Amino acid sequence: MSETKTINFGMVGLGRMGANIVRRLQKHEIKSVVYDLQPAAVAELAGEGAVGAAGFADLASKIPAPRVVWVMVPSGVTDSTIEQLSAHLSAGDTIIDGGNSYYRHDLVNADKLAKKGINFVDVGTSGGVYGLERGYSLMIGGDDVVVAALDPIFRALAPGFESATRTVGRTGEPSSSEVGFLHCGPVGAGHYVKMVHNGIEYGMMAAFAEGLGIFEAAKGATPAYDLNIPEITEVWRRGSVVASWLLDLTAQALQENPSLGDYSTEVSDSGEGRWTVQAAIETGVPAPVLSASLFSRFASRGNDAYSDRVLSAMRYKFGGHNESPMKR
């Protein structure tokens, strides 16, 4: 590999996503200055060619102006991280929030930073732990000129035009969306699109889970079918309408552990699913699948236990049907 390009880029937050973004940029000859609360994470990437920093002030001092600093930390500390970081930056610098932040928070952060002359860009980032090799799908919000200046970074991170078959009817020079990144609109638009993306993800996951759950239950049905679920997911991966990367990952999990016994029956939810349902309410758009998939995650954690007991009690009182008490 040739010597890395000089670019005024920093990364704050070196979890699985942040660290791999740095590594992917490195593959495309873009060097980063990196910082994390865990010194070991900084040392690891410094050993791979990045420049380590001991804090926000140190990071800013090691990046020539105008600086671009990507913040990739948990949503609960994103706002405070941006505020602390901005104290060490200068007018003309840019902060990118690449986490799963609420789009309304972007508007507040952008306004605060604008008073200091600092640009703000929100980037909804999809790709997870596979992004290092596959690339990241990027949904971007921000000022046109500011976003355009970040084009080399987005192109380095995106999967590339060859990652998918071209949509029938598209011709000419590939658009940025065909490469894997899209400037969706002004500040907040990137995280808004990523929010709904994750809401859709909830629904898709729930559909696969429910369908495969019916297969599992068919063993005790009449007539009984002892179906090979791992093999069913394999045949669906080839030519089926429901073939997808999500199905690929499901098939991989079933191949590794057909009973899925290593996995919990409790499913967490993050802010994006809730925010998507809230957006549906605010816009008056029916979203029964997305709403139901979110509520099913609540149920998986036993949050419906009391409601179920109320139902059981009512059924007993009006009909004399008394189910056996169960601990939950």
Side-chain angles (χ1 to χ4, degrees), residues 166-181:
R166 196 168 205 187
T167 300
V168 175
R170 282 185 174 266
T171 59
E173 186 70 19
S175 65
S176 70
S177 63
E178 293 181 280
V179 176
F181 68 98

Side-chain angles (χ1 to χ4, degrees), residues 68-129:
V68 176
V69 183
W70 187 304
V71 174
M72 202 69 168
V73 297
S75 58
V77 297
T78 296
D79 294 344
S80 60
T81 300
I82 289 174
E83 184 173 2
Q84 294 170 44
L85 170 64
S86 67
H88 302 279
L89 300 183
S90 308
D93 292 347
T94 299
I95 292 179
I96 298 172
D97 177 3
N100 286 323
S101 298
Y102 189 33
Y103 73 97
R104 293 189 183 276
H105 291 182
D106 295 334
L107 304 179
V108 175
N109 286 326
D111 183 62
K112 289 180 178 179
L113 293 173
K115 294 174 181 177
K116 300 180 179 182
I118 299 173
N119 306 310
F120 178 85
V121 174
D122 54 287
V123 179
T125 309
S126 183
V129 297

Side-chain angles (χ1 to χ4, degrees), residues 24 127 130-137 157-160 163 245 248:
R24 187 166 175 89
Y130 293 91
L132 174 59
E133 297 301 329
R134 291 172 57 100
Y136 299 91
S137 177
L157 294 176
S163 62
W245 186 37
D248 294 344

Side-chain angles (χ1 to χ4, degrees), residues 279-298:
I281 294 170
E282 292 172 353
T283 56
V285 174
V289 172
L290 307 190
S291 301
S293 65
L294 173 64
F295 294 147
S296 71
R297 294 195 180 197
F298 297 167

Side-chain angles (χ1 to χ4, degrees), residues 11-72:
M11 173 64 74
V12 174
L14 303 177
R16 288 177 297 179
M17 292 281 282
N20 280 344
I21 285 173
V22 170
R23 292 184 175 108
R24 187 166 175 89
L25 290 175
Q26 183 91 350
K27 286 186 173 184
H28 288 78
E29 302 180 353
I30 297 175
K31 179 175 277 190
S32 307
V33 180
V34 300
Y35 171 66
D36 190 275
L37 290 174
Q38 302 298 324
V42 176
E44 181 178 351
L45 279 173
E48 298 176 23
V51 177
F56 295 135
D58 190 31
L59 178 133
S61 72
K62 291 177 176 177
I63 306 174
R67 307 171 184 88
V68 176
V69 183
W70 187 304
V71 174
M72 202 69 168

Side-chain angles (χ1 to χ4, degrees), residues 217-290:
K219 296 174 182 178
T222 303
Y225 294 111
D226 188 3
L227 300 168
N228 189 321
I229 298 175
E231 293 303 314
I232 291 171
T233 59
E234 283 298 329
V235 74
W236 281 357
R237 292 181 61 219
R238 293 162 174 81
S240 165
V241 171
V242 299
S244 62
W245 186 37
L246 188 57
L247 179 61
D248 294 344
L249 296 175
T250 305
Q252 180 182 341
L254 287 164
Q255 175 63 29
E256 294 167 351
N257 185 351
S259 70
L260 301 180
D262 293 340
Y263 295 93
S264 172
T265 58
E266 299 182 8
V267 185
S268 299
D269 72 281
S270 55
E272 300 92 329
R274 301 186 187 208
W275 301 334
T276 301
V277 172
Q278 181 62 37
I281 294 170
E282 292 172 353
T283 56
V285 174
V289 172
L290 307 190

